[in-house]
Amino acid sequence: MKRHVLAALSIMTAGFIAGCGGGGGSDSGVTATSTTISGKVADGYLSGAEVFLDKNGNYQWDGGEAKATTDDTGAYSMTVPAADAAKYPMVARAIAGTTKDMDYPNIPITNSYVMSAPVGSTGFISPMSTLIREKMLANPNMTLTEAMTQLRNQMHLPADIDMMADYVAGSQSGVHATNHQTMHTTAQQMASLMAGQSALVMPDGKSVSVNRYHSMMATINANMSGIAANV
């Protein structure tokens, strides 16, 4: 990692706010009307990642929560009650020793980490969507558009860039290919920072300390200008 990322990681480790992970059961109610939701998960596309509808906000899968596993293109699909799709966020867990980042397909990741997306946004789960959701959780009056604009400005990207877009596909061609590549490379650095905090945020590789997770993401947010400056 480059200098700004190492500095951010040092700040995160030194200044981490201890906290307890969320827990509890999940709402397993069944409705007559179901819908299929699908999308992709990326730093680069992640194969073998766990994706689920997080009903109780603890960033880990519980019984009664719809779950799927991504394929080699990072894609997932699941059927959920229609009302739930617009009520709960999607969370993806990259699993140490199992999940592969298809940017480096021959090497399973060594540290687990989790990502998410704002409620109702299922198409592309990435470090970008994760930070956008965390901005909104930290500032309840912030809209999705405002959160995307804030991140876009932190990264000094053009006003017409969709911060929730599939930057892996977008970097291959098109007028914004270079900007999407910038997003991809920045996301790689963000994912490295998130994975680097795995021992603190996910001490057993699965259970998430929610307060520590929010603290980690707040620190990444505070350092986004420096992280993006590396790209």
Side-chain angles (χ1 to χ4, degrees), residues 5 14 31 36 44 65 69 72 76 94 109 143 147 149 172 200 203 217:
V5 177
T31 65
T36 298
E65 295 176 338
T69 302
D72 286 347
Y76 74 92
I109 66 168
T143 66
T149 299
Q172 303 305 310
L200 288 171
M217 294 309 301

Side-chain angles (χ1 to χ4, degrees), residues 47 95-102 104-111:
S47 171
I95 306 167
T98 298
T99 301
K100 293 182 179 180
D101 180 344
M102 300 311 286
Y104 312 97
N106 297 321
I107 308 172
I109 66 168
T110 56
N111 292 305

Side-chain angles (χ1 to χ4, degrees), residues 9-167:
L9 183 57
S10 176
I11 292 169
M12 288 162 64
T13 302
F16 227 94
I17 301 173
C20 298
S26 61
D27 177 9
S28 58
V30 178
T31 65
T33 303
S34 296
T35 186
T36 298
I37 55 178
S38 60
K40 291 195 171 188
V41 179
D43 156 9
Y45 293 136
L46 295 182
S47 171
E50 178 183 82
V51 187
F52 55 94
L53 200 63
D54 190 16
K55 290 186 176 183
N56 60 1
N58 67 352
Y59 292 84
Q60 60 198 51
W61 179 78
D62 298 293
E65 295 176 338
K67 181 173 70 169
T69 302
T70 58
D71 64 18
D72 286 347
T73 68
Y76 74 92
S77 179
M78 68 180 74
T79 300
V80 302
D84 288 355
K87 185 176 181 181
Y88 302 111
M90 297 299 299
V91 169
R93 180 170 71 101
I95 306 167
T98 298
T99 301
K100 293 182 179 180
D101 180 344
M102 300 311 286
D103 286 340
Y104 312 97
N106 297 321
I107 308 172
I109 66 168
T110 56
N111 292 305
S112 299
Y113 61 96
V114 295
M115 301 183 293
S116 65
V119 174
S121 301
T122 63
F124 192 63
I125 304 171
S126 73
M128 299 297 167
S129 71
T130 304
L131 187 54
I132 288 167
R133 179 177 177 233
E134 292 297 316
K135 288 175 180 287
M136 296 171 69
L137 290 174
N139 302 278
N141 293 323
M142 179 177 284
T143 66
L144 176 60
T145 297
E146 290 170 341
M148 289 193 294
T149 299
Q150 187 178 93
L151 179 56
R152 186 185 299 118
N153 290 340
Q154 285 173 305
M155 295 180 62
H156 304 289
L157 293 173
D160 58 343
I161 290 291
D162 180 1
M163 301 304 295
M164 296 285 288
D166 181 344
Y167 51 71

